[in-house]
Amino acid sequence: MLNKKFLDQANFELQLWNNYFHLAVAFLTQESLQLENFSSAKRAKILNKYGDMRRQIGFEIRDMWYNLGQHKIKFIPEMVGPILEMTLIPETELRKATIPIFFDMMQCEFHSTRSFQRFENEIITKLDHEVEGGRGDEQYKVLFDKILLEHCRKHKYLAKSGETFVKLVVRLMERLLDYRTIMHDENKENRMSCTVNVLNFYKEIEREEMYIRYLYKLCDLHKECDNYTEAAYTLLLHAKLLKWSEEACAAHLTQRDGYQAATQGQLKDQLYQEIIHYFDKGKMWEEAIALGKELAEQYENEMFDYEQLSELLRKQAQFYENIVKVIRPKPDYFAVGYYGQGFPTFIRNKVFIYRGKEYERREDFEARLLTQFPNAEKMKTTSPPGDDIKTSSGQYIQCFTVKPKLDLPSKFHRPVSEQIVSFYRVNEVQRFEYSRPVRKGEKNPDNEFANMWIERTIYVTAYKLPGILRWFEVKSVFMVEISPLENAIETMQLTNDKINNMVQQHLSDPNLPINPLSMLLNGIVDPAVMGGFANYEKAFFTEKYMHEHPEDHDKIEKLKDLIAWQIPFLAEGIRIHGEKVTEALRPFHERMEACFRQLKDKVEKQYGVRAILSSLDERRGSRPRSMVRSFTMPSSSRPLSVASVSSLSSDSTPSRPGSDGFVLEPLLPKKMHSRSQDKLDKDDLDKDKKEKKKEKRNSKHQEIFDKEFKSTDISLQQAEAVILSETISPLRPQRPKSQVLNVMSSERRFSASPAPPSSQLTPPPITPRTKLAFSIQPNLELNGMSGSDIPDVPPPLPLKGSTADYGNLMESQDLISPTTSPPAHQRHLPPPLPSKTPPPPPPKTTRKQTSVDSGIVQ
């Protein structure tokens, strides 16, 4: 009836034909006709009585389609979905009869518009939903490829573009079938891999809607696994598709109900907030700060949302503090090869670099891998396998630890804190190394280093880690050989860096356990433990080696230089160890000191003396943390400040802890001296004990004043010192509470205001400035303390001027310390005596005005 009455041009009814096709496909795909879902007996009975009705109706649909003639274009692309649904029925003859309809649709659209873009977009979208819904299989992929390629290659105009389209759809089907296979798998890592394969495919063919759809599937998987860093990087891919503009949001951009945004700028703002939250949970504060800066720019200059801006800047401040204060565990990286035809196609015969979880050892990681593939056999070697293993039907897993190669951002153009650099040692990395020792030539029983070469394999991943996955495929591999001498240089450099880093960690955090430092230092200075660098001397510092390898002269000099540089690093480490060592470990420390003295004498005699040059001028721009918090921590818990690390007296007594040097600074210089700087004299120990007893008696402010009072000032040439100074109390016992109220105002005045100029007062005896043992760059004062020597004997307590009034500090001018000076407008007048009426407060100070002696801003 349709063919007779409603097909010609005059009587063609589009809606009627449309209804017919949809009804026919619905009949064909109904559950009661899917014979493959029945038992074999029931299936045989139905086929006997009725035959496969799906085939009959399918052939009818095909014939009706071809009868449409010039009306076909009216059904494209609406009918692509129903026809696809019909062709996916697992009946071979039906598939062979109906798949050619797709080529006919391509032809129709091409003749009408000179392309088949609408058909292509529709079939890709529908195919994704159908395969994910459980339809389609490997046989369908093969038939689709074969039938359509045959038709396209016969066509004059569709040969090239048609073949490209068919290959694209086949690639998509491969990924979708893999994805469907593991979609309900307990192994979420496999699900993540397949999801990424699909979303990368959609990105490649610029199908933004499908790409975003799979981004959120991946993000949800990461959140289920607490992979917050990877979830953040995944969401960031969506955010990058958006602009900071008032442009309206397309429907496919807001696929989540949680986002209420009318414009792209609003949606991007919401996404950035969520991404920053995930980066924070993943301890990736550097990434959160970078996004925060971009967002702050919008709040400040585009949206003018100062409330949001202030909240964001508070978060950023916390992130910066976390970077310096919080210790982040460094994950290990593992190279994993999946060899054999037994693995899924997306990992078969490929190598990946995996980012381990926090504190995850290789053994635990391997156990996790083998749990996912219980039939796999673990390979015993790290060498690439041969074709026999790759082509076998089994599963072989190769796993070993690799070392990430530091790729420091260009902004770090000068030395920075190890706490900052350590992030980049295990993050934003794309190159990984695996080193294997190889012997060349005859074995030397006396010295194994002489012919110990290193075979280093470099792996380069497709993307930087971490990223949207915890692993990425290795895209290139190459190998380099390291000579024994180059290996020695590299080893010495790493050892020096390790000592330096650990020293700075202890300077930053006095509560760190001492055991790792003990093991590191003892392993280097005690030849009975490690053998030291004597083996390098035997192997490379001989006339024979120099004669045979004249081209290595520069490298040998470099190795000697590194050996010499190790001494000042060790000296600082042993000094810190001596301060923190317990009485039980004192004999161990003394033996270590004795070994170090011998080592130091030998090295300095043979390779010269090295001193770590100060880069104080570089620190003027970024003030050490000790300047800000010099009065916030008691001395017992404070690490060495920048000044106290670098300052040694002329008789070489090491400085005591002076301030909160929380920032991990590079080691500062030590001057040569007659007495060993690494040994704690008995006198010093006795003095320290006395000081501790005295400090217990003093109040917190008196203790602080005592520490600051004992340090001398740097030369009075500073012009740019920016130092915050807090309340300084007199060095005498605290007054009873009954007396505090009477003089509170004057005492507050004297604690905040500077004392009279030193020309009017006589300071207590301190080490003269003219006896400084070294020079230091001008324009810098740290914590109001100089780099000069701390006197062996603390200054005498000031005499009590009046038993009734400790607030009268001006009674004896020669007892006042010159560490502070009055504001500029008061220097010509003596400070007023305390009275019953509180004096006016001193003028407010700013950070940029500075008093020469006190460092307090005028």
Side-chain angles (χ1 to χ4, degrees), residues 414-417 500 504 507 612-627 641-643 645-646 663-669 720 722 776-782:
R414 63 183 187 186
V416 291
S417 161
N500 188 19
Q504 293 195 42
L507 289 175
I612 308 172
L613 297 177
S614 171
S615 55
L616 294 178
D617 57 328
E618 291 180 1
R619 294 193 186 86
R620 283 181 300 189
S622 57
R623 182 177 42 171
R625 200 174 173 79
S626 56
M627 292 184 176
S641 70
V642 176
V645 172
S646 61
V663 175
L664 299 174
E665 296 286 348
L667 290 175
L668 296 180
E720 298 176 6
V722 181
I776 195 165
Q777 279 97 345
N779 302 331
L780 184 74
E781 181 177 293
L782 304 174

Side-chain angles (χ1 to χ4, degrees), residues 49 51 187 319 421 430 448 534 579 584 636 671 681 827 831:
K49 194 169 184 181
N187 183 357
F319 295 157
V421 175
Q430 197 168 359
E448 61 180 6
E579 291 177 354
S636 60
K671 303 301 290 184
D681 294 332
R827 286 182 182 168

Side-chain angles (χ1 to χ4, degrees), residues 32-39 43 46-47 51-52 54:
S32 57
L33 292 185
Q34 309 313 309
L35 303 181
E36 64 277 356
N37 296 334
F38 301 148
S39 65
R43 185 164 56 245
I46 292 173
L47 286 173
D52 191 341
R54 296 176 302 176

Side-chain angles (χ1 to χ4, degrees), residues 521-539:
L521 295 175
N522 193 53
I524 295 169
V525 303
D526 191 345
V529 179
M530 294 281 283
F533 43 75
N535 288 320
Y536 298 152
E537 295 173 327
K538 293 176 190 174

Side-chain angles (χ1 to χ4, degrees), residues 349 617 730 797:
N349 292 330
D617 57 328
L797 290 172

Side-chain angles (χ1 to χ4, degrees), residues 433-472:
E433 299 176 348
Y434 176 73
S435 299
R436 191 164 61 95
V438 177
R439 295 197 182 280
K440 290 188 177 182
E442 297 178 5
K443 184 176 181 180
N444 185 346
D446 298 328
N447 194 338
E448 61 180 6
F449 292 95
N451 56 4
M452 178 71 77
W453 288 70
I454 298 294
E455 186 181 273
R456 179 165 294 157
T457 309
I458 313 292
Y459 300 91
V460 183
T461 52
Y463 309 97
K464 287 185 176 183
L465 281 163
I468 61 172
L469 289 173
R470 292 189 73 90
W471 62 92
F472 284 122

